[in-house]
Amino acid sequence: MAEIIDTGSEPERAIERACAVLAEGEPVAIPTETVYGLAADATNPEAIGRIYEMKGRPRFNPLISHVSDMAMAEAHVTFDPLSRQLAEAFWPGPLTLILPQRPESTVHALASAGLDTLGIRMPDGFSRRVIGRFGRPLAAPSANTSGKISPTSAAHVEADLGAKLKLILDAGAAEIGLESTIVKVEGDAVRLLRPGGLDAAAIEELLNRPVIRLEAAGATIEAPGMLASHYAPGAAVRLDAVDVAAGEALIRFGGRPIAGEELATIVLDLSPDGNLREAAANLFDYMKRADASGARTIAFGPMPSDGLGEAILDRLQRAAAPRE
């Protein structure tokens, strides 16, 4: 089983141990403000390969490279003016930019799935300190089996991948609880490839232009999180439920009761007060709890689509998509 180090009580040992394991070409589970990541040296193809193997992730699905500062980012990608404006406003934070990879970049093509672009992000919190000490970008998808519910705590990681990992860094529950928002600038247009922890409205306000949404999920894989079926629990998922059948689990929002909920195996409310930020932080943890209740179906009550509700609904629609 994996060694688990509390970053609050032993920060220096956590950083030193993480850097040592990363230098061996082994992945480390690290905490970020979005979700826990399965991090490995983005310049080492064997290390990147171990990420794909541990997750069972398709190798055509690119990984995000995480950096500690702008200097590290600029060594690997070329910024256009709009992307630089976004980075300066929202980094460190839950925003990933898809940018042209520099010819001299040492990030391996396996991390970018052979594309000529690179998804890049500067995370907030303890993981940024690890990257800064390690001195190279870390490729880091979510630390879970591919397609399953993303982890928002060290316990989630341990339950899923603990037998495969050498090290998990534990910084408590993830603050945001949703993966990063992914955008790509093309000329004067800004495309939203994946809604996430940064509200797209904040991007529109900063740039004074609309963000273009994808017409169909998963059409062309340009970034992580674009597969049609993703973030799925073991149970089936049913959305916009107005009633609950016996033996189903129920996840609702805003304190609104659902007809028949007394028959549910478990009833969870993402935010009784209707706070979307609280709902986002609870989403993956509550999905795991509902899945563990033994229900064959998880019914989700109606969710708003504004603000972070857009990202929450994106995850739910992918969780409910037909599975191969």
Side-chain angles (χ1 to χ4, degrees), residues 28-68:
V28 173
I30 61 173
T32 79
E33 78 279 31
T34 56
V35 298
Y36 274 65
L38 184 62
D41 184 350
T43 70
N44 182 339
E46 292 183 1
I48 298 166
R50 290 187 178 103
I51 291 177
Y52 285 106
E53 290 166 5
M54 282 189 184
K55 286 179 64 69
R57 182 185 179 98
R59 297 198 179 203
F60 60 78
N61 197 5
L63 305 176
I64 295 170
S65 292
H66 294 69
V67 298
S68 59

Coordinates of all heavy atoms in Angstrom, one line a residue, residues 28-68:
V28 N 3.2 10.1 -8.3 CA 2.8 10.4 -6.9 C 1.4 11.1 -6.9 O 1.1 11.9 -7.8 CB 3.8 11.4 -6.3 CG1 3.4 11.9 -4.9 CG2 5.2 10.8 -6.2
A29 N 0.6 10.7 -5.9 CA -0.7 11.4 -5.8 C -0.5 12.7 -5.0 O 0.0 12.7 -3.9 CB -1.7 10.5 -5.1
I30 N -0.9 13.8 -5.7 CA -0.7 15.1 -5.1 C -2.0 15.9 -4.9 O -2.9 15.7 -5.8 CB 0.4 16.0 -5.9 CG1 -0.1 16.3 -7.3 CG2 1.7 15.3 -5.9 CD1 0.7 17.2 -8.0
P31 N -2.1 16.7 -3.9 CA -3.3 17.5 -3.7 C -3.3 18.8 -4.5 O -2.2 19.4 -4.6 CB -3.3 17.8 -2.2 CG -1.9 17.8 -1.9 CD -1.2 16.9 -2.8
T32 N -4.4 19.1 -5.2 CA -4.5 20.4 -5.8 C -5.8 21.0 -5.3 O -6.6 20.4 -4.6 CB -4.5 20.4 -7.3 OG1 -5.8 20.0 -7.8 CG2 -3.4 19.4 -7.9
E33 N -6.0 22.3 -5.6 CA -7.3 22.9 -5.2 C -8.5 22.4 -6.0 O -9.6 22.6 -5.5 CB -7.1 24.5 -5.4 CG -7.3 25.0 -6.8 CD -6.1 24.9 -7.7 OE1 -5.3 23.9 -7.5 OE2 -5.9 25.7 -8.5
T34 N -8.3 21.7 -7.1 CA -9.4 21.2 -7.9 C -9.7 19.8 -7.4 O -10.7 19.5 -6.7 CB -9.0 21.2 -9.4 OG1 -7.8 20.5 -9.6 CG2 -8.9 22.6 -9.9
V35 N -8.9 18.8 -7.8 CA -9.0 17.4 -7.3 C -7.6 16.9 -7.1 O -6.6 17.6 -7.4 CB -9.7 16.5 -8.3 CG1 -11.2 17.0 -8.6 CG2 -9.0 16.4 -9.7
Y36 N -7.5 15.7 -6.5 CA -6.1 15.1 -6.4 C -5.6 14.6 -7.7 O -6.4 14.0 -8.5 CB -6.2 13.9 -5.4 CG -6.1 14.4 -3.9 CD1 -7.0 15.2 -3.3 CD2 -5.0 14.0 -3.2 CE1 -6.9 15.6 -2.0 CE2 -4.8 14.5 -1.9 CZ -5.8 15.3 -1.3 OH -5.6 15.7 0.0
G37 N -4.4 14.8 -8.0 CA -3.8 14.5 -9.3 C -2.8 13.3 -9.1 O -2.1 13.1 -8.1
L38 N -2.7 12.5 -10.2 CA -1.7 11.5 -10.3 C -0.5 12.0 -11.1 O -0.6 12.1 -12.4 CB -2.3 10.2 -11.0 CG -1.4 9.0 -11.1 CD1 -1.1 8.5 -9.7 CD2 -2.1 7.9 -11.9
A39 N 0.5 12.5 -10.4 CA 1.5 13.3 -11.0 C 2.8 12.5 -11.3 O 3.2 11.6 -10.6 CB 1.9 14.5 -10.1
A40 N 3.4 12.8 -12.5 CA 4.7 12.2 -12.9 C 5.4 13.2 -13.7 O 4.9 14.2 -14.3 CB 4.5 10.9 -13.6
D41 N 6.7 13.0 -13.8 CA 7.6 13.8 -14.6 C 7.1 13.9 -16.0 O 7.2 12.9 -16.8 CB 9.0 13.3 -14.5 CG 10.1 14.1 -15.2 OD1 9.7 15.1 -15.9 OD2 11.3 13.9 -15.0
A42 N 6.7 15.1 -16.5 CA 6.2 15.3 -17.8 C 7.2 15.2 -18.9 O 6.9 15.1 -20.1 CB 5.5 16.6 -17.9
T43 N 8.5 15.1 -18.5 CA 9.6 15.0 -19.5 C 10.1 13.6 -19.7 O 10.9 13.3 -20.5 CB 10.8 15.9 -19.1 OG1 11.4 15.4 -18.0 CG2 10.3 17.3 -18.8
N44 N 9.5 12.6 -18.9 CA 10.0 11.3 -18.8 C 8.9 10.3 -19.4 O 7.9 10.1 -18.8 CB 10.3 10.9 -17.4 CG 10.8 9.5 -17.2 OD1 10.6 8.6 -18.1 ND2 11.5 9.2 -16.1
P45 N 9.1 9.8 -20.6 CA 8.1 9.0 -21.2 C 7.7 7.7 -20.4 O 6.6 7.3 -20.4 CB 8.7 8.6 -22.6 CG 10.1 8.8 -22.4 CD 10.3 9.9 -21.4
E46 N 8.7 7.1 -19.7 CA 8.4 5.9 -18.9 C 7.5 6.3 -17.7 O 6.5 5.6 -17.4 CB 9.7 5.3 -18.4 CG 10.5 4.7 -19.5 CD 11.7 3.9 -19.0 OE1 11.9 3.9 -17.7 OE2 12.5 3.4 -19.8
A47 N 7.7 7.5 -17.1 CA 6.9 7.9 -16.0 C 5.5 8.2 -16.5 O 4.5 7.9 -15.8 CB 7.6 9.2 -15.4
I48 N 5.4 8.9 -17.6 CA 4.1 9.2 -18.2 C 3.3 7.9 -18.5 O 2.1 7.8 -18.3 CB 4.2 10.1 -19.5 CG1 4.9 11.4 -19.1 CG2 2.9 10.3 -20.1 CD1 5.4 12.2 -20.3
G49 N 4.1 7.0 -19.1 CA 3.4 5.7 -19.4 C 2.9 5.0 -18.2 O 1.8 4.4 -18.2
R50 N 3.5 5.2 -17.0 CA 3.0 4.6 -15.8 C 1.7 5.2 -15.4 O 0.8 4.6 -14.8 CB 4.0 4.7 -14.7 CG 5.3 3.8 -14.9 CD 6.2 3.8 -13.7 NE 7.3 2.9 -14.0 CZ 8.5 3.2 -14.3 NH1 8.8 4.5 -14.4 NH2 9.5 2.3 -14.6
I51 N 1.5 6.5 -15.7 CA 0.2 7.2 -15.4 C -0.9 6.5 -16.2 O -1.9 6.1 -15.6 CB 0.3 8.7 -15.8 CG1 1.2 9.5 -14.8 CG2 -1.2 9.3 -15.7 CD1 1.3 10.9 -15.2
Y52 N -0.7 6.3 -17.5 CA -1.7 5.7 -18.3 C -2.0 4.3 -17.8 O -3.1 3.8 -17.8 CB -1.2 5.7 -19.8 CG -1.3 7.0 -20.5 CD1 -0.1 7.7 -20.8 CD2 -2.5 7.5 -20.9 CE1 -0.2 8.9 -21.4 CE2 -2.6 8.7 -21.6 CZ -1.4 9.4 -21.8 OH -1.5 10.6 -22.5
E53 N -0.9 3.5 -17.5 CA -1.1 2.2 -17.0 C -1.9 2.1 -15.7 O -2.8 1.3 -15.5 CB 0.3 1.5 -16.8 CG 1.0 1.2 -18.2 CD 2.4 0.9 -18.0 OE1 2.9 0.7 -16.8 OE2 3.1 0.7 -19.0
M54 N -1.5 3.0 -14.7 CA -2.2 3.0 -13.4 C -3.7 3.3 -13.6 O -4.6 2.7 -12.9 CB -1.5 3.9 -12.5 CG -0.3 3.4 -11.9 SD 0.3 4.6 -10.6 CE 1.8 3.8 -10.1
K55 N -4.0 4.3 -14.5 CA -5.4 4.7 -14.6 C -6.2 3.9 -15.6 O -7.4 3.9 -15.6 CB -5.4 6.2 -15.2 CG -5.0 7.2 -14.1 CD -5.0 8.6 -14.7 CE -6.4 9.1 -15.2 NZ -7.4 9.3 -14.1
G56 N -5.4 3.1 -16.5 CA -6.1 2.4 -17.5 C -6.7 3.5 -18.5 O -7.8 3.3 -19.1
R57 N -5.9 4.5 -18.8 CA -6.4 5.7 -19.5 C -6.0 5.5 -21.0 O -4.9 5.1 -21.3 CB -5.7 6.9 -19.0 CG -6.1 8.3 -19.7 CD -5.3 9.4 -19.1 NE -5.6 10.7 -19.7 CZ -6.4 11.6 -19.1 NH1 -7.0 11.3 -18.0 NH2 -6.5 12.8 -19.7
P58 N -6.9 5.8 -21.9 CA -6.6 5.7 -23.4 C -5.4 6.7 -23.7 O -5.4 7.9 -23.2 CB -7.9 6.2 -24.1 CG -8.9 6.0 -23.1 CD -8.3 6.2 -21.7
R59 N -4.5 6.3 -24.5 CA -3.3 7.1 -24.7 C -3.6 8.2 -25.7 O -2.7 9.1 -26.0 CB -2.1 6.3 -25.2 CG -1.7 5.3 -24.0 CD -0.3 4.8 -24.2 NE 0.0 3.9 -23.1 CZ 1.2 3.6 -22.7 NH1 2.3 4.1 -23.3 NH2 1.4 2.8 -21.6
F60 N -4.8 8.2 -26.3 CA -5.1 9.4 -27.2 C -5.7 10.5 -26.4 O -6.0 11.6 -26.9 CB -6.1 8.9 -28.3 CG -7.4 8.4 -27.8 CD1 -8.4 9.2 -27.3 CD2 -7.6 7.0 -27.8 CE1 -9.6 8.7 -26.9 CE2 -8.8 6.5 -27.3 CZ -9.8 7.4 -26.8
N61 N -5.9 10.3 -25.1 CA -6.4 11.3 -24.2 C -5.3 12.1 -23.6 O -4.6 11.6 -22.7 CB -7.3 10.7 -23.1 CG -8.3 11.6 -22.5 OD1 -8.3 12.8 -22.8 ND2 -9.0 11.1 -21.5
P62 N -5.1 13.4 -24.0 CA -3.9 14.1 -23.5 C -3.9 14.4 -22.0 O -5.0 14.4 -21.4 CB -3.9 15.4 -24.3 CG -5.3 15.5 -24.7 CD -5.9 14.2 -24.9
L63 N -2.8 14.7 -21.4 CA -2.6 15.1 -20.0 C -2.3 16.6 -19.9 O -1.7 17.2 -20.8 CB -1.5 14.3 -19.4 CG -1.6 12.7 -19.5 CD1 -0.3 12.1 -19.0 CD2 -2.8 12.2 -18.9
I64 N -2.7 17.1 -18.8 CA -2.3 18.5 -18.5 C -0.9 18.5 -17.8 O -0.6 17.7 -16.9 CB -3.3 19.2 -17.5 CG1 -4.7 19.3 -18.2 CG2 -2.9 20.5 -17.1 CD1 -5.8 19.7 -17.3
S65 N -0.1 19.5 -18.3 CA 1.2 19.7 -17.6 C 1.1 20.8 -16.6 O 0.6 21.9 -17.0 CB 2.3 20.0 -18.7 OG 2.5 18.9 -19.5
H66 N 1.5 20.6 -15.4 CA 1.4 21.5 -14.3 C 2.7 22.2 -14.0 O 3.8 21.5 -14.0 CB 0.9 20.9 -13.0 CG -0.5 20.3 -13.2 ND1 -0.9 19.3 -14.0 CD2 -1.7 20.8 -12.6 CE1 -2.2 19.1 -13.9 NE2 -2.7 19.9 -13.1
V67 N 2.7 23.5 -13.9 CA 4.0 24.3 -13.7 C 3.9 25.1 -12.4 O 2.8 25.3 -11.9 CB 4.2 25.2 -14.9 CG1 4.4 24.4 -16.2 CG2 3.1 26.2 -15.1
S68 N 5.0 25.5 -12.0 CA 5.1 26.3 -10.7 C 5.1 27.8 -10.9 O 4.7 28.5 -10.0 CB 6.4 25.9 -9.9 OG 7.5 26.1 -10.7

